[in-house]
Amino acid sequence: MTTTKKQLHRIDLIFKNEQDCKEILRNALARSNQEVINEMVNSGLKGRGGAGFPTGLKWKLTAEQKVDEKFVICNADEGEPGTFKDREILTRVPHKVLSGMAVCAKIIGARKGYIYLRGEYKFLVPNLKKELRRFHDILDELGLDFRVEIFMGSGAYICGEESALFESMEGKRGEPRNKPPFPTEIGYLNKPTVINNVETLAHSYTILKYGAKKFRELGVKDSRGSKVFSVSGDTPIPGIYELELGMSVQDFVDDFGDGDTKAVQVGGASGFLVPRKRFGKTSIGYQGKLTGISLPTGGSMMIFNSSRSMYNVLNNYLDFFEEESCGQCTPCRVGCQQLLKGIKAVKRGEKPASYLDQLLKLTDTMKLTAKCGLGQSVANSFSSIVENFREEMIY
Amino acid sequence: MDFQEKLVHDLVAKHGTDRENLLPILQGVIDQERYLSEEAILKIAKEMSIPAADVYGTATFYSFLDTDPRGKYVIRVCKTITCAMKGKNQIIQAIENFLKIKVGETTIDKKFTILQTNCLGWCHKAPAMLVNDDVYTELTPESVVDILREYREEN
């Protein structure tokens, strides 16, 4: 059998085996802080953890703080269902991530950095420590006073939320803080902190090496550069792929689907489900607000074929959120419980189908009133699944 | 000084008494004892001069910081969507049949505990599980029994 599937352009920047980090660092450290910040801002790089905050701006805002002690933290608490790219980056090119941290440290004036590594990835520690020793030697040679330590998480999804991560590092329950103030002002130990996703830091290495212009050649409008995608579910080729931002879900499905794709979950359980009829109209990137037309993602792409029950999918997500909700604010704690109970009751016929509309209203309330992204984003998958697959929720 | 006292004392000496060292200290006790007993929590609180309620509150927040007794090997099978789609239930069934215990239970010889956990980040190689810190992926009901048999027959 021959297939004439269109193949999306594979990019090879992040995982390219480049052992020139000493040279890249030497050059970057020799440039003025303003010059490097401009390069980062001009690249258009946005946070690759999923939220998409402009990285250059984050560095700039933290650099402007007139405080002696500051921190650089690499967020390696990759816990979104369907995401596994950060582990691959830390396994294959950790020196790129560390180089990004070091340059950031020099610019903002930090002497201490941390990698917050999720407990599930503890097996990475021996290799990372070896890499850290080698890297610290390079920093000594270049005369940069900066040290990186590994801080282990202990199995809590919410600690990927930056302020919950600080709380966790401070020895407390991982409960998100109110924002503002933002980490650029008040972060770890209440000091100005740059916290970037693993992939974001690795991209900063690419930008420092090849320049902002080259990075901007990839992607579209507001979504520049490449992105590492974690592809799983009903696909013959699951795995990790570096692709250009801005692709349509249709092109993605043509390349990665099994020929019977019913829906794609973009951005993990906290993201959106895109049904077949919207594949052509939906693209992947960060265009303005979350409109459902252009979807941002930390890189999780889960593919479902027609054999899958969308009720089971939603049930699994809600079970996940109900367990991972930190319990601090009522809309999220009680909301997740009620949503899970609610869809089960509708399925069993204990509640009428119209009860789904009440649950949709509840997700609207959670979106408005939950304290952090977890509770606010449950509405994304809930409404996109219930609105597109209502029959499957009922029968 | 009993074993636990020495363990807590050494961990606090190594990491320090500041609150931000609490997680590494709790993790250090877990590494040795697989769970945080009431005694261990009280000892940590005393050594670090923080209220025992704070230590307990922090510990119970994290799914890897168990406060119930666990076996020498804690098996955590991923139950999140992709693993669920790719046969997680059959894996659990095979483990339960092999160890003759249910999810949440510990074998009488205190060697194994079976738990389910949220996304382990191996969705492209589902189903997946952890045995303590070690990862096993693309499991089948047969392969998971072979893996556990090796753990059971060691020493």
Side-chain angles (χ1 to χ4, degrees):
Chain A
M1 201 180 83
T2 55
T3 50
T4 50
K5 286 204 293 193
K6 181 187 162 191
Q7 231 203 21
L8 290 165
H9 181 208
R10 307 290 199 260
I11 315 278
D12 181 27
L13 280 173
I14 283 239
F15 294 115
K16 202 193 256 181
N17 186 21
E18 296 162 307
Q19 292 301 333
D20 50 0
C21 84
K22 201 195 291 181
E23 286 322 299
I24 303 297
L25 270 174
R26 199 195 303 274
N27 291 339
L29 298 178
R31 295 165 77 181
S32 76
N33 291 352
Q34 196 51 51
E35 225 180 300
V36 177
I37 287 176
N38 288 345
E39 187 89 61
M40 292 298 293
V41 170
N42 291 338
S43 74
L45 174 63
K46 291 184 178 178
R48 293 299 197 242
F53 190 82
T55 307
L57 181 60
K58 196 183 262 189
W59 291 18
K60 180 170 177 269
L61 291 172
T62 313
E64 284 165 359
Q65 296 293 319
K66 307 250 176 295
V67 177
D68 271 352
E69 197 176 22
K70 298 180 187 177
F71 298 103
V72 180
I73 295 176
C74 167
N75 186 344
D77 193 45
E78 178 177 56
E80 186 64 47
T83 315
F84 37 87
K85 45 132 192 141
D86 289 342
R87 183 190 59 235
E88 190 83 356
I89 294 170
L90 285 173
T91 305
R92 288 167 60 188
V93 288
H95 56 282
K96 294 190 184 181
V97 179
L98 293 172
S99 301
M101 290 178 79
V103 172
C104 175
K106 187 245 174 184
I107 288 167
I108 67 165
R111 288 179 300 276
K112 199 83 204 265
Y114 295 93
I115 298 174
Y116 187 101
L117 186 68
R118 71 185 302 218
E120 290 84 343
Y121 291 171
K122 194 173 167 193
F123 68 97
L124 293 178
V125 168
N127 268 333
L128 276 178
K129 281 199 168 154
K130 218 185 289 169
E131 200 61 44
L132 276 176
R133 278 193 293 275
R134 201 180 313 164
F135 189 72
H136 287 156
D137 287 345
I138 293 177
L139 293 185
D140 287 343
E141 212 180 305
L142 297 175
L144 184 71
D145 176 18
F146 180 60
R147 282 290 176 270
V148 178
E149 265 179 46
I150 300 168
F151 192 100
M152 291 306 302
S154 257
Y157 166 74
I158 189 58
C159 290
E161 197 280 339
E162 55 195 16
S163 66
L165 186 150
F166 301 146
E167 292 286 307
S168 175
M169 284 183 65
E170 292 174 10
K172 295 179 260 177
R173 296 168 69 83
E175 292 173 349
R177 301 172 180 171
N178 283 323
K179 289 185 201 171
F182 292 99
T184 48
E185 275 176 65
I186 309 269
Y188 176 52
L189 298 178
N190 294 330
K191 303 291 181 188
T193 304
V194 164
I195 175 161
N196 281 143
N197 171 259
V198 172
E199 184 188 343
T200 311
L201 290 162
H203 278 303
S204 67
Y205 173 93
T206 303
I207 292 163
L208 293 168
K209 175 163 179 174
Y210 297 102
K213 193 163 165 280
K214 170 120 195 215
F215 189 78
R216 286 189 66 86
E217 283 168 9
L218 296 169
V220 293
K221 286 190 281 186
D222 290 339
S223 311
R224 293 293 170 181
S226 62
K227 171 90 196 76
V228 184
F229 288 92
S230 310
V231 181
S232 68
D234 295 312
T235 165
I237 45 170
I240 292 145
Y241 297 88
E242 188 176 358
L243 304 168
E244 231 173 309
L245 280 172
M247 64 181 171
S248 79
V249 176
Q250 185 65 62
D251 288 344
F252 173 81
V253 168
D254 288 346
D255 197 343
F256 291 93
D258 63 358
D260 185 26
T261 304
K262 169 176 170 176
V264 179
Q265 182 77 25
V266 179
S270 67
F272 294 84
L273 185 97
V274 183
R276 189 183 284 146
K277 66 179 179 217
R278 300 246 171 85
F279 286 172
K281 292 180 211 135
T282 311
S283 64
I284 306 300
Y286 327 85
Q287 249 168 31
K289 288 207 179 306
L290 315 184
T291 57
I293 303 294
S294 181
L295 298 177
T297 171
S300 168
M301 303 290 280
M302 297 191 288
I303 304 176
F304 303 116
N305 71 19
S306 63
S307 75
R308 306 298 174 186
S309 149
M310 288 300 127
Y311 171 81
N312 287 347
V313 171
L314 182 58
N315 193 341
N316 189 285
Y317 292 170
L318 291 174
D319 187 65
F320 174 85
F321 286 127
E322 193 241 359
E323 272 190 37
E324 298 293 347
S325 168
C326 82
Q328 182 188 193
C329 76
T330 313
C332 178
R333 183 185 65 246
V334 179
C336 290
Q337 290 167 357
Q338 290 304 317
L339 292 176
L340 182 59
K341 256 171 82 178
I343 63 158
K344 284 181 177 170
V346 170
K347 191 74 175 179
R348 290 198 209 102
E350 293 161 11
K351 293 273 184 197
S354 59
Y355 191 63
L356 289 172
D357 302 318
Q358 251 172 286
L359 295 177
L360 282 167
K361 272 192 208 152
L362 172 58
T363 62
D364 286 342
T365 307
M366 290 168 70
K367 205 177 197 167
L368 281 173
T369 56
K371 186 167 175 176
C372 81
L374 192 157
Q376 291 161 10
S377 63
V378 174
N380 299 345
S381 51
F382 191 91
S383 59
S384 55
I385 292 177
V386 168
E387 279 161 10
N388 289 299
F389 296 96
R390 198 177 167 94
E391 296 77 27
E392 291 190 35
M393 300 300 123
I394 304 165
Y395 305 109
Chain B
M1 221 187 249
D2 67 8
F3 174 80
Q4 192 180 61
E5 233 166 277
K6 184 167 169 7
L7 174 65
V8 169
H9 181 82
D10 290 351
L11 282 166
V12 174
K14 180 181 167 199
H15 293 285
T17 53
D18 289 336
R19 178 75 186 251
E20 58 266 29
N21 301 308
L22 180 55
L23 233 56
I25 289 166
L26 295 172
Q27 289 160 348
V29 175
I30 292 277
D31 279 344
Q32 294 299 317
E33 306 197 325
R34 305 318 313 169
Y35 86 109
L36 296 158
S37 62
E38 207 178 301
E39 298 76 37
I41 286 175
L42 288 170
K43 282 171 189 150
I44 293 167
K46 199 171 156 215
E47 288 268 350
M48 296 183 77
S49 304
I50 49 180
D54 282 5
V55 179
Y56 183 76
T58 297
T60 50
F61 187 85
Y62 298 89
S63 66
F64 283 15
L65 302 180
D66 288 308
T67 48
D68 290 325
R70 300 293 187 213
K72 182 177 177 195
Y73 297 111
V74 181
I75 302 163
R76 289 187 163 89
V77 182
C78 177
K79 63 170 177 170
T80 306
I81 186 68
T82 313
C83 286
M85 281 160 55
K86 307 274 172 174
K88 173 259 325 178
N89 283 345
Q90 287 93 299
I91 303 302
I92 298 254
Q93 189 98 61
I95 301 174
E96 287 182 338
N97 290 344
F98 180 68
L99 297 177
K100 313 248 177 332
I101 51 169
K102 297 278 174 207
V103 169
E105 295 176 349
T106 300
T107 52
I108 293 170
D109 62 3
K110 298 208 167 40
K111 195 141 189 190
F112 294 100
T113 300
I114 318 175
L115 299 173
Q116 297 197 67
T117 190
N118 283 327
C119 192
L120 290 173
W122 291 95
C123 321
H124 56 322
K125 293 183 175 177
M129 71 171 177
L130 285 177
V131 179
N132 291 351
D133 300 328
D134 293 323
V135 182
Y136 297 91
T137 60
E138 293 170 292
L139 297 169
T140 64
E142 296 76 36
S143 73
V144 75
V145 168
D146 290 341
I147 292 161
L148 295 180
R149 190 174 287 123
E150 281 199 27
Y151 277 97
R152 192 162 73 179
E153 284 165 6
E154 64 152 27
N155 64 52

